[in-house]
Amino acid sequence: MKFAVIGHPIKHSLSPLMHHANFKKLNLDYQYEAINIPESHFQHIREIISERELDGFNVTIPHKARIIPYLDDISDEAKEMGAVNTVKIKNGKWIGYNTDGIGFVKGLESYYGSLKDAKILILGAGGASKGITYQLKQKTTQPIFVANRTMSRFETWTFNINAVPLSEVTNIADQFDIIINTTPLGMYDSNDSILTFERLKKRALVCDIIYTPLETPFLANARHHGYDTYNGLDMFVYQGAESFNIWTAMDANINAMRTSVLNKLNV
Ligand code: ATR
């Protein structure tokens, strides 16, 4: 079978390396390539993909929304997100999915255990946040809180959450077992973090969805305050594993995938 990831730029994508590590472990003679498609060429996407005879492909920045009009069908979740990261091609038909949210949540469950009773706060209300929140809602019995700078972002959310302004997060942060940052703010090396770490629950788990670097300044700050931290590496690994499962109906080898990425990032 043949797969690919499309994006722009795509040179530094770790997806080919990660998927090949899985194919090798499972003794599969499959291929996975990175295809650079600038915005200006996107109208040729069907030809570009068809001539390669792919069985499916991943979609990354900046094309996750742009791909939607070219699909024959779309999963409910990807439709809700307005973003597609996985396309399955079957008998020439393109079906779009989004595995980013389930990827994060499956990874988090494997690390944390059951999320059933966990009280969770999500920082940010962009595409990534929406996918993660959508999946978390199926896993926890507790109300989920989502904090954002711009409250009007929530107008397009069709499922129920507790929306709070980002500026009020410090006042409520001590209620949560898990805090997940989906904003780019975690990258800024600032003392004025989004959160005042003194006010968190004693055993809170602090997460970021970024994995380059493996430890963002936000996570480093949390760790210095004594909290357990969890980065975005598993989200990347599990979203890939979920894509593989959609394409092949097989289970991916998570360890092989994670090790290949970690080895590359630690060079
Ligand atoms: P992604 O797909 O990675 O989630 P996105 O859809 O552009 O990216 O969402 C970015 C998120 O980071 C949003 O929640 C955004 O907040 P706004 O809705 O208020 O824009 C948040 N974000 C980005 N820069 C920010 C900043 N300087 N301060 C606070 N929030 C910020």
Side-chain angles (χ1 to χ4, degrees), residues 77-221:
E77 179 178 8
K79 197 171 178 180
E80 172 72 42
M81 306 303 101
V84 161
N85 80 331
T86 303
V87 177
K88 178 180 174 137
I89 304 176
K90 206 172 174 202
N91 303 326
K93 292 252 182 297
W94 289 20
I95 309 158
Y97 301 85
N98 195 316
T99 65
D100 288 330
I102 187 76
F104 181 84
V105 172
K106 282 206 170 177
L108 181 63
E109 264 183 321
S110 74
Y111 181 78
Y112 185 86
S114 170
L115 300 169
K116 192 162 74 72
D117 300 322
K119 226 173 152 195
I120 303 173
L121 169 66
I122 298 163
L123 307 175
S129 164
K130 206 175 187 184
I132 290 169
T133 309
Y134 182 91
Q135 289 294 336
L136 282 174
K137 272 185 73 81
Q138 350 260 328
K139 299 283 183 185
T140 176
T141 56
Q142 300 293 315
I144 298 176
F145 285 68
V146 183
N148 204 45
R149 174 182 58 180
T150 315
M151 293 304 277
S152 58
R153 274 259 197 178
F154 293 110
E155 286 163 13
T156 64
W157 288 49
T158 60
F159 49 94
N160 277 339
I161 41 105
N162 295 283
V164 289
L166 196 60
S167 54
E168 281 175 26
V169 146
T170 296
N171 300 328
I172 58 165
D174 61 354
Q175 302 171 29
F176 299 97
D177 303 302
I178 301 175
I179 296 174
I180 304 163
N181 175 42
T182 71
T183 77
L185 293 176
M187 289 294 279
Y188 307 145
D189 198 4
S190 151
N191 291 326
D192 306 322
S193 181
I194 328 167
L195 278 182
T196 311
F197 286 104
E198 285 77 12
R199 298 284 297 273
L200 304 194
K201 229 182 199 181
K202 219 169 162 189
R203 305 198 48 162
L205 174 66
V206 180
C207 314
D208 206 320
I209 62 167
I210 289 168
Y211 62 98
T212 51
L214 286 166
E215 186 177 67
T216 58
F218 175 73
L219 289 189
N221 202 352

Side-chain angles (χ1 to χ4, degrees), residues 248-265:
T248 66
M250 285 186 259
D251 286 336
N253 188 298
I254 297 287
N255 272 344
M257 293 172 89
R258 187 198 279 110
T259 305
S260 69
V261 177
L262 260 184
N263 286 345
K264 182 76 182 175
L265 292 176

Side-chain angles (χ1 to χ4, degrees), residues 40-59:
S40 58
H41 279 62
F42 205 82
Q43 75 267 29
H44 305 299
I45 183 71
R46 294 276 314 201
E47 294 92 279
I48 295 169
I49 298 294
S50 295
E51 72 187 16
R52 286 177 163 85
E53 300 185 328
L54 299 181
D55 297 287
F57 60 97
N58 285 125
V59 184

